[in-house]
Amino acid sequence: MSQRNAVSVRLAERSYTIGISTNQLLEQLDDVAAQVRPWKHAVLIVDQKVESIGERIRERLESLGVRSDVCLVPSGESSKSVAQIASLWESMLEHRTDRKSVVVAIGGGVIGDLAGFAAASYMRGLRFLQIPTTLLAMVDSSVGGKTGINLPKSKNVIGAFWQPHAVCIDTSVLESLPDREYRSGLAEVVKYGVILDAKLFEYLEANQQAILQRVPQVVQHIVQRSCELKADVVSADERETTGLRAILNYGHTFGHAIEATTDYGRYLHGEAISIGMTMAGQLAVDRNLWTRSELERQTTLLSGLGLPVRLESNVITSRLIEAMRLDKKTEHGVFHLILPTKIGQVESRNDSPVDRIMNAIDCGR
Amino acid sequence: MSQRNAVSVRLAERSYTIGISTNQLLEQLDDVAAQVRPWKHAVLIVDQKVESIGERIRERLESLGVRSDVCLVPSGESSKSVAQIASLWESMLEHRTDRKSVVVAIGGGVIGDLAGFAAASYMRGLRFLQIPTTLLAMVDSSVGGKTGINLPKSKNVIGAFWQPHAVCIDTSVLESLPDREYRSGLAEVVKYGVILDAKLFEYLEANQQAILQRVPQVVQHIVQRSCELKADVVSADERETTGLRAILNYGHTFGHAIEATTDYGRYLHGEAISIGMTMAGQLAVDRNLWTRSELERQTTLLSGLGLPVRLESNVITSRLIEAMRLDKKTEHGVFHLILPTKIGQVESRNDSPVDRIMNAIDCGR
């Protein structure tokens, strides 16, 4: 397969292209380098798990005349920390990074968020390029310009809106992704189906086995459709001011709280979101906004894709609620939750009583 | 005196007003509070030196129904650190700061830069209000949206462009400012004269004694004129992309390097800028861009206002050059320096040989 497609994120002077290909990463990089002129220096911020991909990219850039420095970052959510960003800032200075340098993020969502915030904050903003290497990053975090790090008690609470200059996706790099991480990314794909696209949801239901077997054209289809859906939302509401972009947060207020109360160690992001979507779905059913049969379709699909839908029993409900209160979507103590009304459609509701929320949390255990 | 004036910073949807008054700070705050609606929570980031001003503002805000938390910050440049911003982020989270909260900076340039970056980076950006309490902050750092912190080896290298929602200046708070700090602020006022406004420069020459005695209407005049000049430059080139805004950097590439090589402890910012302007002026004269007699006028004025114009002898020239290479204005090793051509006019030059720069550094010692 050598198909190369492009999805546009339309944001006036900050518009950019998401290139999607199979086995053509270096060719995509050449295209980007032809646009970024003059490009004399790059800082590659690379997840240590994909060091070899980083090395291939570094060699290609050097061959194009771009002095390239590599900063390796340990894998995992714990790298989205104050200590890690401070260490990156120091490394960038040592590598004589200046305003004309370009930051290149090579890795999953953690690396994209971290490198994006480094790009946004170093010398008040450098250009940056996203090369996502996990499914989660391809379909979600590399698109849309949200960057950031965590504080011990709250996820993504520090950061910036900072759009990449381009996103280069090569789905062939997913071949070596561990199963659990691959499935974690599928949670966000299911999310797009529930919030925006009943046809995508049906496609996922019909192609579960091909998806789990990572059939290349099926993977390319779900990545591209997810990017298109996200790009449209981001183009319409870049900074989450009109409320439209907030729908992407379906399952995330619950999910972030699950990650926080389990110290970001028990669940991968997509796994927490899968449980969070189940809780949000349960709340929607309890409030007569959604039908039980559609919730069951969601639960069946998530489970079929190997994702958890029940919270482990030792997580205390009141601690989860407390963590939800610290979420960015919670304003002056009022929970703003995205709740489904049918497959392909959601609403933002700020009128869910705490006892109903607690009930939805406990319902599945 | 109860005059209240306003200067506009015109930046499309990010436009804002700088209010300038004497003895009417709380009234200005009322005006701002009438615009920021609903305003339920404020985080006051306060220099410990002006804790009492912070307390007056906190009381006024509480009386207006705004829950207000105070974060006291130690005085001095060393507070613009990674450790301090990390501590502020944690405090803001503890104070249940959310997207609708407003950050209020109360203090000098250090506090404005630090609080501004906290506002820019917390939950990807909160509204913020500048209440400058030093002359330097009133005439320079509180206007224009540059925020940031230092790394040990480079000043302001981490930060964001983040415009305040409003700036409230009450020149009467300068009455208690120590002499040395007051004079430090005058360096930036002299800078505006040299780079943009020969008439202001002549006013400063003619009114040195009244300025040093802090005659209220004279202080109000120089603050207002400085704000007008800076507002015009910032309105025309918010993010330093056209080169216009770079003229504000006159004396600053030298000055920042002086601060860095003396560990931010020997000179106040304005003192370093005064020496930096003298070096830049010397370089301009050496390169036949400027006349010796105008350089002497600049030196005489700076000295007359009690500012240093010579670098102390134990600073090593090559270390200063090395620090200048790390400056944000230096791109891929090429120095971009602002050099005067006559009083009221400067040029950006990137063709100054290193040996001439070293000569200009050593000339005054």
Side-chain angles (χ1 to χ4, degrees):
Chain A
M1 254 182 74
S2 66
Q3 208 184 348
R4 275 165 81 179
N5 292 317
V7 173
S8 295
V9 185
R10 296 172 307 282
L11 292 165
E13 79 280 6
R14 291 184 304 287
S15 294
Y16 57 95
T17 297
I18 307 163
I20 302 169
S21 75
T22 306
N23 277 318
Q24 297 205 11
L25 185 55
L26 299 180
E27 291 78 0
Q28 282 194 62
L29 198 63
D30 294 344
D31 291 352
V32 172
Q35 296 157 24
V36 182
R37 280 173 180 271
W39 188 1
K40 291 187 180 164
H41 180 234
V43 180
L44 280 52
I45 300 179
V46 183
D47 186 324
Q48 63 184 18
K49 267 193 208 158
V50 294
E51 187 175 358
S52 61
I53 299 174
E55 189 50 32
R56 274 167 59 208
I57 291 169
R58 194 193 63 75
E59 282 171 12
R60 186 65 153 231
L61 287 174
E62 290 277 1
S63 80
L64 295 169
V66 182
R67 178 171 71 84
S68 300
D69 292 299
V70 171
C71 302
L72 281 183
V73 173
S75 299
E77 188 75 26
S78 59
S79 280
K80 281 175 64 177
S81 66
V82 172
Q84 185 63 58
I85 191 88
S87 158
L88 274 182
W89 286 334
E90 291 284 356
S91 298
M92 290 168 77
L93 192 62
E94 277 164 26
H95 292 314
R96 290 171 290 135
T97 303
D98 67 27
R99 287 183 164 175
K100 294 278 161 72
S101 300
V102 178
V103 173
V104 184
I106 303 165
V110 165
I111 296 296
D113 288 0
L114 177 69
F117 186 47
S121 57
Y122 189 89
M123 293 193 175
R124 302 194 188 96
L126 306 181
R127 290 171 298 182
F128 104 107
L129 183 59
Q130 288 268 26
I131 303 185
T133 62
T134 66
L135 180 60
L136 188 79
M138 289 179 187
V139 300
D140 182 24
S141 54
S142 72
V143 176
K146 283 195 180 179
T147 72
I149 58 172
N150 306 324
L151 293 181
K153 287 186 186 159
S154 188
K155 194 170 148 80
N156 293 329
V157 69
I158 304 305
F161 284 100
W162 197 250
Q163 298 295 341
H165 192 80
V167 182
C168 300
I169 294 176
D170 179 354
T171 53
S172 69
V173 305
L174 297 179
E175 285 163 19
S176 59
L177 193 68
D179 255 350
R180 190 177 160 200
E181 277 199 63
Y182 177 74
R183 291 193 307 260
S184 170
L186 293 174
E188 296 283 358
V189 181
V190 173
K191 181 193 78 176
Y192 292 116
V194 177
I195 65 174
L196 282 168
D197 190 347
K199 218 176 119 192
L200 172 62
F201 191 91
E202 287 155 20
Y203 179 91
L204 299 174
E205 288 181 312
N207 292 278
Q208 283 183 53
Q209 287 321 305
I211 291 167
L212 289 173
Q213 286 158 16
R214 311 190 197 183
V215 174
Q217 54 270 46
V218 174
V219 173
Q220 179 131 3
H221 174 74
I222 63 176
V223 168
Q224 176 153 347
R225 187 67 196 130
S226 297
C227 286
E228 286 167 356
L229 290 164
K230 178 146 188 187
D232 286 347
V233 171
V234 169
S235 298
D237 181 20
E238 182 182 8
R239 287 177 170 253
E240 226 162 79
T241 43
T242 70
L244 178 59
R245 184 166 179 161
I247 66 171
L248 297 174
N249 225 48
Y250 174 50
H252 280 60
T253 300
F254 290 100
H256 288 159
I258 292 168
E259 290 181 275
T261 50
T262 55
D263 296 325
Y264 302 105
R266 169 68 189 84
Y267 297 106
L268 296 179
H269 178 65
E271 293 170 345
I273 296 314
S274 176
I275 299 170
M277 288 194 285
T278 309
M279 289 172 175
Q282 182 65 51
L283 179 62
V285 171
D286 288 352
R287 298 193 54 200
N288 293 316
L289 298 166
W290 204 22
T291 63
R292 184 159 300 279
S293 67
E294 288 205 326
L295 169 60
E296 275 164 19
R297 275 177 70 194
Q298 177 185 280
T299 308
T300 304
L301 177 57
L302 290 168
S303 301
L305 294 171
L307 286 158
V309 292
R310 286 160 191 265
L311 187 63
E312 63 181 14
S313 56
N314 61 357
V315 178
I316 298 162
T317 304
S318 60
R319 283 196 55 211
L320 209 61
I321 292 281
E322 208 37 57
M324 287 171 71
R325 285 193 201 281
L326 297 175
D327 191 86
K328 291 191 296 301
K329 300 294 182 303
T330 303
E331 287 174 351
H332 296 312
V334 176
F335 296 106
H336 292 257
L337 296 172
I338 305 301
L339 301 181
T341 50
K342 62 179 184 181
I343 301 272
Q345 193 176 290
V346 286
E347 278 180 8
S348 174
R349 302 291 296 234
N350 62 6
D351 56 355
S352 301
V354 174
D355 62 324
R356 302 295 282 272
I357 297 172
M358 294 178 83
N359 188 56
I361 291 169
D362 289 330
C363 196
R365 311 206 263 194
Chain B
M1 250 182 76
S2 66
Q3 208 184 349
R4 275 165 80 180
N5 293 316
V7 174
S8 295
V9 184
R10 295 174 306 284
L11 292 164
E13 78 281 6
R14 291 184 304 287
S15 295
Y16 57 96
T17 298
I18 307 163
I20 303 169
S21 75
T22 308
N23 277 318
Q24 298 205 10
L25 185 55
L26 299 181
E27 291 78 2
Q28 283 194 63
L29 199 63
D30 294 344
D31 291 352
V32 172
Q35 295 157 24
V36 182
R37 282 174 180 270
W39 188 1
K40 292 188 182 165
H41 180 233
V43 180
L44 280 51
I45 300 180
V46 183
D47 186 324
Q48 62 184 18
K49 268 192 208 159
V50 294
E51 186 175 357
S52 61
I53 299 174
E55 189 51 30
R56 273 167 60 209
I57 292 168
R58 193 192 63 74
E59 281 169 12
R60 186 67 153 228
L61 287 175
E62 291 276 0
S63 80
L64 295 168
V66 182
R67 178 171 70 84
S68 299
D69 292 299
V70 171
C71 301
L72 280 182
V73 173
S75 299
E77 189 75 25
S78 58
S79 281
K80 281 175 64 177
S81 66
V82 172
Q84 186 63 57
I85 191 88
S87 158
L88 274 182
W89 286 334
E90 291 283 357
S91 298
M92 291 168 76
L93 191 61
E94 276 164 27
H95 292 314
R96 290 171 292 134
T97 304
D98 66 28
R99 287 182 165 176
K100 293 278 162 73
S101 301
V102 178
V103 174
V104 184
I106 303 165
V110 165
I111 296 296
D113 288 2
L114 177 68
F117 186 47
S121 57
Y122 189 90
M123 293 193 177
R124 302 196 187 95
L126 305 182
R127 290 170 299 181
F128 104 104
L129 183 59
Q130 288 268 24
I131 302 184
T133 62
T134 67
L135 181 59
L136 188 79
M138 288 178 188
V139 300
D140 183 25
S141 54
S142 72
V143 177
K146 283 195 179 180
T147 72
I149 59 172
N150 306 324
L151 293 181
K153 287 185 184 161
S154 188
K155 195 171 147 78
N156 293 330
V157 69
I158 304 304
F161 285 100
W162 196 250
Q163 298 295 341
H165 192 78
V167 183
C168 300
I169 295 177
D170 179 354
T171 53
S172 70
V173 305
L174 297 179
E175 285 162 19
S176 60
L177 194 69
D179 256 350
R180 190 177 163 202
E181 276 199 64
Y182 177 75
R183 292 195 305 263
S184 171
L186 293 174
E188 297 282 357
V189 182
V190 173
K191 182 193 77 176
Y192 292 116
V194 178
I195 65 174
L196 282 169
D197 190 347
K199 219 175 119 194
L200 172 63
F201 191 91
E202 287 155 20
Y203 179 91
L204 299 174
E205 288 180 314
N207 293 279
Q208 283 181 53
Q209 289 320 305
I211 291 167
L212 289 173
Q213 286 157 17
R214 312 190 197 183
V215 174
Q217 53 271 47
V218 174
V219 174
Q220 179 133 3
H221 174 74
I222 62 176
V223 168
Q224 177 154 347
R225 187 67 195 130
S226 298
C227 286
E228 286 166 357
L229 290 163
K230 178 145 188 188
D232 286 348
V233 171
V234 169
S235 297
D237 181 21
E238 182 183 6
R239 288 179 169 250
E240 225 162 80
T241 42
T242 71
L244 177 59
R245 183 165 181 161
I247 68 171
L248 297 174
N249 224 48
Y250 175 50
H252 280 60
T253 301
F254 290 101
H256 288 160
I258 292 168
E259 291 182 273
T261 51
T262 53
D263 295 325
Y264 302 104
R266 169 69 188 83
Y267 298 105
L268 296 179
H269 177 66
E271 293 170 344
I273 296 313
S274 176
I275 300 170
M277 287 194 285
T278 309
M279 290 174 176
Q282 183 64 51
L283 179 63
V285 171
D286 289 352
R287 297 194 54 200
N288 294 315
L289 298 167
W290 204 23
T291 64
R292 185 158 301 279
S293 67
E294 288 206 326
L295 170 59
E296 276 164 18
R297 276 177 70 194
Q298 177 185 278
T299 308
T300 304
L301 178 57
L302 290 168
S303 301
L305 294 172
L307 286 158
V309 292
R310 286 160 191 266
L311 187 62
E312 64 180 13
S313 58
N314 62 357
V315 179
I316 298 161
T317 305
S318 60
R319 281 196 57 212
L320 209 61
I321 293 282
E322 209 37 57
M324 289 172 69
R325 284 193 203 282
L326 296 176
D327 191 87
K328 290 189 296 300
K329 300 295 182 301
T330 303
E331 286 173 353
H332 296 312
V334 176
F335 295 106
H336 293 258
L337 296 172
I338 305 301
L339 301 180
T341 52
K342 62 179 184 183
I343 301 270
Q345 192 175 290
V346 287
E347 279 180 7
S348 175
R349 302 291 296 234
N350 62 5
D351 56 355
S352 300
V354 173
D355 62 324
R356 302 293 282 274
I357 296 172
M358 293 178 83
N359 189 57
I361 291 170
D362 289 331
C363 198
R365 309 207 264 195

